[in-house]
Every structure is written in C-alpha cells, then in structure tokens.
Amino acid sequence: MTVKIAVLVSGRGSNLQAIINSIEKDRIKNAAINVVISNRTVAYALERARNHGINAVFLDPGKYDKTGYDRAILDVLKQYDIDLLLLAGYFRLLGNEIIEAYRYRIMNIHPALLPAFKGLHAQRQAFEYGVKVAGCTVHFVDEGLDSGPIILQSCVPVISEDTEETLTARILEKEHIIYPEAVRLFVEGKLKIEGRNVLLLNRVTDQIHDQTGTDFTD
Ligand code: GRF
C-alpha cells in the first residue's frame, strides 16, 4: 500500500526537494507525494513540485477567513485521500480542525533543537544566544507552537568563525537528512507514540540522537 503524502510550503522548498529525491531514489519506499499546497503563489517549491510531475496547488489566503482557509486545505487533503501531511517551510499556523483530523499524521521540520528557540528565525535566536551546539528537529504537530512530540533531531556544532548564515546553511544540510528519514520511519510503521515520547522501533535510539556528521540513512 502506498502512503499518500501532501506537503504544505511557503517558499524555497529545499526540504520538499530532499523528500522528493528520497522517494525517487527509493530510499523511501511505498510512498508518493500526491499534492503540494502553497499559501504563496510565487513559492519556488511549487515549481519544484511541477518539475517532478506533482500536483501543485496555490491556495490564496486572501480569499478566506482563517477557518475557511483551513477547510480549504482539508478539502484538498480529502480530495487526494492524504495519509500524511508534511509542513516544509510553511509559514502559517495550522488550525485545530486539521490538527484533530490528522493527529500524529502531521510533521514539521524546525531549524533548532526543540524545545529551545521556537518560532521564527530559530537559527538567529540560537546564534545570538551563543549556543555551542545548534541543530534541527522533526516533530509531530499539535495545537501549540513547535511543541509536538519529537521524532528526530540532529545537532551541529557552532564554531567561532560562524555567522548566522553559515550556521543556517549547516543546519539545513541536516534538515535534508532527518526529514526524509522521519518520513521513511513513518511510512514503514516504525514510529510508536507514547505520550510525548516517539519510540523508534527496531532502531538503537542513541545512534539516531548522536549522529553529528553522520548520514544515518541505510
Ligand atoms: C527550513 O529551515 C525549515 O526548517 C523551516 O523553514 C525553512 C524552509 O526551507 N521551517 P525550505 O523551504 O525547505 O528550503
């Protein structure tokens, strides 16, 4: 059975691309991205989707109130019979109706080691705070801001030559590894949720958590 995926985007779409690549290269088996939805008409992510023959939908937030917009997204998800919803650089908050309908079936990538540095400009927050280790997190989406159960994290050291830009770029490289990996684990039924804890079945947890510089895809 194929897991049908929708991706919500707002911009560049490099995480979308990483997931498309993993599916096309068969690193994620039995999954397909059926639709990419953007709240911005100029999002390059839409072009990436079209380049790979994926349906690309622009939903104009100007045409709806907040609830109406979420319903419009839900309609598209239903139309494509979506199993898994991925937020990949989607810069709007999701409404509760979608979160309830897709509980533990919505993932987000956040460019910080949650629960630190939630919200916008997470890399800048971390850089300005002076952390020595930064990173990224894939988590399930719940009603709070960047607060859902953590699936995977990856860390990068902050070096003295770093600028916000170099740190952001290094974190992004890790995002492109752990987001497809989290999707693969979901598709293979290897994520078990126990309260706030997401257990990674058949894997040694420490290998996942301590993989700075390591591409742990099989
Ligand atoms: C990434 O840094 C992601 O962590 C954050 O927004 C950025 C999106 O980048 N949520 P892209 O659109 O996937 O290139």
PDB file of all heavy atoms in Angstrom, residues 172-195:
ATOM      1  N   LEU A 172      20.705  23.403   7.690  1.00  0.00           N
ATOM      2  CA  LEU A 172      19.853  22.983   6.569  1.00  0.00           C
ATOM      3  C   LEU A 172      20.304  21.638   5.991  1.00  0.00           C
ATOM      4  O   LEU A 172      19.481  20.790   5.635  1.00  0.00           O
ATOM      5  CB  LEU A 172      19.841  24.064   5.480  1.00  0.00           C
ATOM      6  CG  LEU A 172      18.809  23.884   4.368  1.00  0.00           C
ATOM      7  CD1 LEU A 172      17.378  23.952   4.911  1.00  0.00           C
ATOM      8  CD2 LEU A 172      18.995  24.927   3.264  1.00  0.00           C
ATOM      9  N   GLU A 173      21.627  21.452   5.918  1.00  0.00           N
ATOM     10  CA  GLU A 173      22.130  20.152   5.433  1.00  0.00           C
ATOM     11  C   GLU A 173      21.589  19.012   6.284  1.00  0.00           C
ATOM     12  O   GLU A 173      21.238  17.952   5.774  1.00  0.00           O
ATOM     13  CB  GLU A 173      23.665  20.120   5.503  1.00  0.00           C
ATOM     14  CG  GLU A 173      24.336  20.878   4.382  1.00  0.00           C
ATOM     15  CD  GLU A 173      25.848  20.880   4.560  1.00  0.00           C
ATOM     16  OE1 GLU A 173      26.398  19.945   5.206  1.00  0.00           O
ATOM     17  OE2 GLU A 173      26.481  21.831   4.065  1.00  0.00           O
ATOM     18  N   LYS A 174      21.520  19.232   7.581  1.00  0.00           N
ATOM     19  CA  LYS A 174      20.993  18.196   8.496  1.00  0.00           C
ATOM     20  C   LYS A 174      19.486  18.028   8.319  1.00  0.00           C
ATOM     21  O   LYS A 174      18.966  16.917   8.423  1.00  0.00           O
ATOM     22  CB  LYS A 174      21.304  18.558   9.943  1.00  0.00           C
ATOM     23  CG  LYS A 174      22.769  18.587  10.262  1.00  0.00           C
ATOM     24  CD  LYS A 174      23.358  17.195  10.176  1.00  0.00           C
ATOM     25  CE  LYS A 174      24.794  17.213  10.646  1.00  0.00           C
ATOM     26  NZ  LYS A 174      25.396  15.894  10.589  1.00  0.00           N
ATOM     27  N   GLU A 175      18.799  19.135   8.069  1.00  0.00           N
ATOM     28  CA  GLU A 175      17.347  19.043   7.839  1.00  0.00           C
ATOM     29  C   GLU A 175      17.066  18.091   6.688  1.00  0.00           C
ATOM     30  O   GLU A 175      16.157  17.265   6.738  1.00  0.00           O
ATOM     31  CB  GLU A 175      16.767  20.427   7.508  1.00  0.00           C
ATOM     32  CG  GLU A 175      16.858  21.437   8.635  1.00  0.00           C
ATOM     33  CD  GLU A 175      16.210  22.761   8.282  1.00  0.00           C
ATOM     34  OE1 GLU A 175      15.229  22.788   7.526  1.00  0.00           O
ATOM     35  OE2 GLU A 175      16.707  23.794   8.764  1.00  0.00           O
ATOM     36  N   HIS A 176      17.894  18.207   5.641  1.00  0.00           N
ATOM     37  CA  HIS A 176      17.672  17.404   4.433  1.00  0.00           C
ATOM     38  C   HIS A 176      17.948  15.919   4.672  1.00  0.00           C
ATOM     39  O   HIS A 176      17.590  15.083   3.854  1.00  0.00           O
ATOM     40  CB  HIS A 176      18.549  17.934   3.295  1.00  0.00           C
ATOM     41  CG  HIS A 176      18.189  19.330   2.885  1.00  0.00           C
ATOM     42  ND1 HIS A 176      18.997  20.137   2.139  1.00  0.00           N
ATOM     43  CD2 HIS A 176      17.076  20.063   3.156  1.00  0.00           C
ATOM     44  CE1 HIS A 176      18.413  21.313   1.953  1.00  0.00           C
ATOM     45  NE2 HIS A 176      17.252  21.282   2.568  1.00  0.00           N
ATOM     46  N   ILE A 177      18.609  15.617   5.771  1.00  0.00           N
ATOM     47  CA  ILE A 177      18.828  14.211   6.136  1.00  0.00           C
ATOM     48  C   ILE A 177      17.700  13.704   7.037  1.00  0.00           C
ATOM     49  O   ILE A 177      17.104  12.657   6.790  1.00  0.00           O
ATOM     50  CB  ILE A 177      20.192  14.032   6.843  1.00  0.00           C
ATOM     51  CG1 ILE A 177      21.337  14.377   5.879  1.00  0.00           C
ATOM     52  CG2 ILE A 177      20.343  12.600   7.364  1.00  0.00           C
ATOM     53  CD1 ILE A 177      22.700  14.458   6.543  1.00  0.00           C
ATOM     54  N   ILE A 178      17.393  14.480   8.080  1.00  0.00           N
ATOM     55  CA  ILE A 178      16.462  13.900   9.074  1.00  0.00           C
ATOM     56  C   ILE A 178      15.002  13.973   8.636  1.00  0.00           C
ATOM     57  O   ILE A 178      14.200  13.142   9.075  1.00  0.00           O
ATOM     58  CB  ILE A 178      16.638  14.479  10.505  1.00  0.00           C
ATOM     59  CG1 ILE A 178      16.287  15.960  10.590  1.00  0.00           C
ATOM     60  CG2 ILE A 178      18.010  14.169  11.044  1.00  0.00           C
ATOM     61  CD1 ILE A 178      16.190  16.451  12.046  1.00  0.00           C
ATOM     62  N   TYR A 179      14.642  14.934   7.770  1.00  0.00           N
ATOM     63  CA  TYR A 179      13.221  14.973   7.392  1.00  0.00           C
ATOM     64  C   TYR A 179      12.834  13.745   6.543  1.00  0.00           C
ATOM     65  O   TYR A 179      11.887  13.024   6.877  1.00  0.00           O
ATOM     66  CB  TYR A 179      12.875  16.291   6.692  1.00  0.00           C
ATOM     67  CG  TYR A 179      11.429  16.732   6.929  1.00  0.00           C
ATOM     68  CD1 TYR A 179      10.945  17.929   6.411  1.00  0.00           C
ATOM     69  CD2 TYR A 179      10.541  15.955   7.672  1.00  0.00           C
ATOM     70  CE1 TYR A 179       9.630  18.353   6.635  1.00  0.00           C
ATOM     71  CE2 TYR A 179       9.228  16.356   7.896  1.00  0.00           C
ATOM     72  CZ  TYR A 179       8.779  17.556   7.371  1.00  0.00           C
ATOM     73  OH  TYR A 179       7.481  17.950   7.595  1.00  0.00           O
ATOM     74  N   PRO A 180      13.588  13.450   5.483  1.00  0.00           N
ATOM     75  CA  PRO A 180      13.263  12.214   4.736  1.00  0.00           C
ATOM     76  C   PRO A 180      13.333  10.976   5.622  1.00  0.00           C
ATOM     77  O   PRO A 180      12.538  10.046   5.466  1.00  0.00           O
ATOM     78  CB  PRO A 180      14.338  12.158   3.644  1.00  0.00           C
ATOM     79  CG  PRO A 180      14.814  13.547   3.497  1.00  0.00           C
ATOM     80  CD  PRO A 180      14.693  14.184   4.843  1.00  0.00           C
ATOM     81  N   GLU A 181      14.287  10.960   6.558  1.00  0.00           N
ATOM     82  CA  GLU A 181      14.421   9.798   7.439  1.00  0.00           C
ATOM     83  C   GLU A 181      13.177   9.636   8.316  1.00  0.00           C
ATOM     84  O   GLU A 181      12.671   8.523   8.508  1.00  0.00           O
ATOM     85  CB  GLU A 181      15.680   9.950   8.300  1.00  0.00           C
ATOM     86  CG  GLU A 181      15.874   8.893   9.365  1.00  0.00           C
ATOM     87  CD  GLU A 181      16.160   7.497   8.814  1.00  0.00           C
ATOM     88  OE1 GLU A 181      16.150   7.316   7.591  1.00  0.00           O
ATOM     89  OE2 GLU A 181      16.370   6.580   9.632  1.00  0.00           O
ATOM     90  N   ALA A 182      12.666  10.736   8.843  1.00  0.00           N
ATOM     91  CA  ALA A 182      11.451  10.675   9.675  1.00  0.00           C
ATOM     92  C   ALA A 182      10.267  10.186   8.839  1.00  0.00           C
ATOM     93  O   ALA A 182       9.450   9.381   9.299  1.00  0.00           O
ATOM     94  CB  ALA A 182      11.154  12.044  10.273  1.00  0.00           C
ATOM     95  N   VAL A 183      10.190  10.649   7.599  1.00  0.00           N
ATOM     96  CA  VAL A 183       9.095  10.212   6.717  1.00  0.00           C
ATOM     97  C   VAL A 183       9.215   8.714   6.463  1.00  0.00           C
ATOM     98  O   VAL A 183       8.236   7.968   6.505  1.00  0.00           O
ATOM     99  CB  VAL A 183       9.123  11.002   5.381  1.00  0.00           C
ATOM    100  CG1 VAL A 183       8.111  10.431   4.393  1.00  0.00           C
ATOM    101  CG2 VAL A 183       8.853  12.485   5.635  1.00  0.00           C
ATOM    102  N   ARG A 184      10.444   8.275   6.213  1.00  0.00           N
ATOM    103  CA  ARG A 184      10.662   6.838   5.982  1.00  0.00           C
ATOM    104  C   ARG A 184      10.206   6.015   7.190  1.00  0.00           C
ATOM    105  O   ARG A 184       9.502   5.008   7.037  1.00  0.00           O
ATOM    106  CB  ARG A 184      12.143   6.567   5.704  1.00  0.00           C
ATOM    107  CG  ARG A 184      12.439   5.116   5.376  1.00  0.00           C
ATOM    108  CD  ARG A 184      13.901   4.932   5.010  1.00  0.00           C
ATOM    109  NE  ARG A 184      14.757   4.808   6.173  1.00  0.00           N
ATOM    110  CZ  ARG A 184      14.924   3.690   6.867  1.00  0.00           C
ATOM    111  NH1 ARG A 184      14.276   2.587   6.528  1.00  0.00           N
ATOM    112  NH2 ARG A 184      15.734   3.659   7.899  1.00  0.00           N
ATOM    113  N   LEU A 185      10.574   6.449   8.378  1.00  0.00           N
ATOM    114  CA  LEU A 185      10.185   5.713   9.589  1.00  0.00           C
ATOM    115  C   LEU A 185       8.664   5.659   9.714  1.00  0.00           C
ATOM    116  O   LEU A 185       8.089   4.635  10.059  1.00  0.00           O
ATOM    117  CB  LEU A 185      10.807   6.365  10.833  1.00  0.00           C
ATOM    118  CG  LEU A 185      12.334   6.229  10.938  1.00  0.00           C
ATOM    119  CD1 LEU A 185      12.869   7.110  12.061  1.00  0.00           C
ATOM    120  CD2 LEU A 185      12.741   4.784  11.170  1.00  0.00           C
ATOM    121  N   PHE A 186       7.998   6.774   9.403  1.00  0.00           N
ATOM    122  CA  PHE A 186       6.530   6.800   9.458  1.00  0.00           C
ATOM    123  C   PHE A 186       5.953   5.810   8.455  1.00  0.00           C
ATOM    124  O   PHE A 186       5.093   4.988   8.793  1.00  0.00           O
ATOM    125  CB  PHE A 186       6.021   8.217   9.150  1.00  0.00           C
ATOM    126  CG  PHE A 186       4.522   8.337   9.171  1.00  0.00           C
ATOM    127  CD1 PHE A 186       3.854   8.793  10.300  1.00  0.00           C
ATOM    128  CD2 PHE A 186       3.757   7.983   8.054  1.00  0.00           C
ATOM    129  CE1 PHE A 186       2.461   8.891  10.329  1.00  0.00           C
ATOM    130  CE2 PHE A 186       2.368   8.074   8.071  1.00  0.00           C
ATOM    131  CZ  PHE A 186       1.724   8.525   9.212  1.00  0.00           C
ATOM    132  N   VAL A 187       6.438   5.892   7.228  1.00  0.00           N
ATOM    133  CA  VAL A 187       5.890   5.063   6.151  1.00  0.00           C
ATOM    134  C   VAL A 187       6.080   3.581   6.468  1.00  0.00           C
ATOM    135  O   VAL A 187       5.223   2.748   6.172  1.00  0.00           O
ATOM    136  CB  VAL A 187       6.559   5.441   4.802  1.00  0.00           C
ATOM    137  CG1 VAL A 187       6.228   4.436   3.715  1.00  0.00           C
ATOM    138  CG2 VAL A 187       6.138   6.842   4.380  1.00  0.00           C
ATOM    139  N   GLU A 188       7.202   3.257   7.099  1.00  0.00           N
ATOM    140  CA  GLU A 188       7.481   1.857   7.449  1.00  0.00           C
ATOM    141  C   GLU A 188       6.830   1.438   8.763  1.00  0.00           C
ATOM    142  O   GLU A 188       7.047   0.329   9.243  1.00  0.00           O
ATOM    143  CB  GLU A 188       8.999   1.634   7.508  1.00  0.00           C
ATOM    144  CG  GLU A 188       9.638   1.777   6.137  1.00  0.00           C
ATOM    145  CD  GLU A 188      11.139   1.540   6.155  1.00  0.00           C
ATOM    146  OE1 GLU A 188      11.699   1.204   7.231  1.00  0.00           O
ATOM    147  OE2 GLU A 188      11.759   1.704   5.090  1.00  0.00           O
ATOM    148  N   GLY A 189       6.046   2.330   9.358  1.00  0.00           N
ATOM    149  CA  GLY A 189       5.333   1.988  10.594  1.00  0.00           C
ATOM    150  C   GLY A 189       6.256   1.827  11.786  1.00  0.00           C
ATOM    151  O   GLY A 189       5.961   1.078  12.719  1.00  0.00           O
ATOM    152  N   LYS A 190       7.372   2.552  11.770  1.00  0.00           N
ATOM    153  CA  LYS A 190       8.359   2.372  12.840  1.00  0.00           C
ATOM    154  C   LYS A 190       8.295   3.441  13.929  1.00  0.00           C
ATOM    155  O   LYS A 190       9.190   3.533  14.769  1.00  0.00           O
ATOM    156  CB  LYS A 190       9.762   2.320  12.236  1.00  0.00           C
ATOM    157  CG  LYS A 190       9.987   1.029  11.468  1.00  0.00           C
ATOM    158  CD  LYS A 190      11.413   0.860  11.023  1.00  0.00           C
ATOM    159  CE  LYS A 190      11.606  -0.474  10.346  1.00  0.00           C
ATOM    160  NZ  LYS A 190      12.623  -0.430   9.303  1.00  0.00           N
ATOM    161  N   LEU A 191       7.268   4.279  13.891  1.00  0.00           N
ATOM    162  CA  LEU A 191       7.119   5.291  14.942  1.00  0.00           C
ATOM    163  C   LEU A 191       5.988   4.884  15.868  1.00  0.00           C
ATOM    164  O   LEU A 191       4.868   4.644  15.421  1.00  0.00           O
ATOM    165  CB  LEU A 191       6.804   6.663  14.321  1.00  0.00           C
ATOM    166  CG  LEU A 191       7.833   7.208  13.342  1.00  0.00           C
ATOM    167  CD1 LEU A 191       7.367   8.552  12.791  1.00  0.00           C
ATOM    168  CD2 LEU A 191       9.190   7.364  13.997  1.00  0.00           C
ATOM    169  N   LYS A 192       6.302   4.806  17.153  1.00  0.00           N
ATOM    170  CA  LYS A 192       5.270   4.465  18.124  1.00  0.00           C
ATOM    171  C   LYS A 192       5.170   5.606  19.127  1.00  0.00           C
ATOM    172  O   LYS A 192       6.169   5.987  19.747  1.00  0.00           O
ATOM    173  CB  LYS A 192       5.636   3.151  18.820  1.00  0.00           C
ATOM    174  CG  LYS A 192       4.536   2.666  19.734  1.00  0.00           C
ATOM    175  CD  LYS A 192       4.856   1.289  20.290  1.00  0.00           C
ATOM    176  CE  LYS A 192       3.760   0.877  21.250  1.00  0.00           C
ATOM    177  NZ  LYS A 192       4.271   0.193  22.423  1.00  0.00           N
ATOM    178  N   ILE A 193       3.971   6.150  19.275  1.00  0.00           N
ATOM    179  CA  ILE A 193       3.810   7.315  20.147  1.00  0.00           C
ATOM    180  C   ILE A 193       3.345   6.881  21.532  1.00  0.00           C
ATOM    181  O   ILE A 193       2.348   6.185  21.670  1.00  0.00           O
ATOM    182  CB  ILE A 193       2.814   8.317  19.534  1.00  0.00           C
ATOM    183  CG1 ILE A 193       3.396   8.851  18.227  1.00  0.00           C
ATOM    184  CG2 ILE A 193       2.541   9.477  20.466  1.00  0.00           C
ATOM    185  CD1 ILE A 193       2.501   8.768  17.085  1.00  0.00           C
ATOM    186  N   GLU A 194       4.120   7.271  22.532  1.00  0.00           N
ATOM    187  CA  GLU A 194       3.738   7.021  23.925  1.00  0.00           C
ATOM    188  C   GLU A 194       3.790   8.346  24.653  1.00  0.00           C
ATOM    189  O   GLU A 194       4.850   8.784  25.101  1.00  0.00           O
ATOM    190  CB  GLU A 194       4.692   6.015  24.570  1.00  0.00           C
ATOM    191  CG  GLU A 194       4.443   4.595  24.095  1.00  0.00           C
ATOM    192  CD  GLU A 194       5.231   3.567  24.893  1.00  0.00           C
ATOM    193  OE1 GLU A 194       6.022   3.944  25.769  1.00  0.00           O
ATOM    194  OE2 GLU A 194       5.049   2.373  24.599  1.00  0.00           O
ATOM    195  N   GLY A 195       2.629   9.017  24.743  1.00  0.00           N
ATOM    196  CA  GLY A 195       2.598  10.342  25.353  1.00  0.00           C
ATOM    197  C   GLY A 195       3.445  11.302  24.538  1.00  0.00           C
ATOM    198  O   GLY A 195       3.260  11.438  23.342  1.00  0.00           O
TER     199      GLY A 195
END
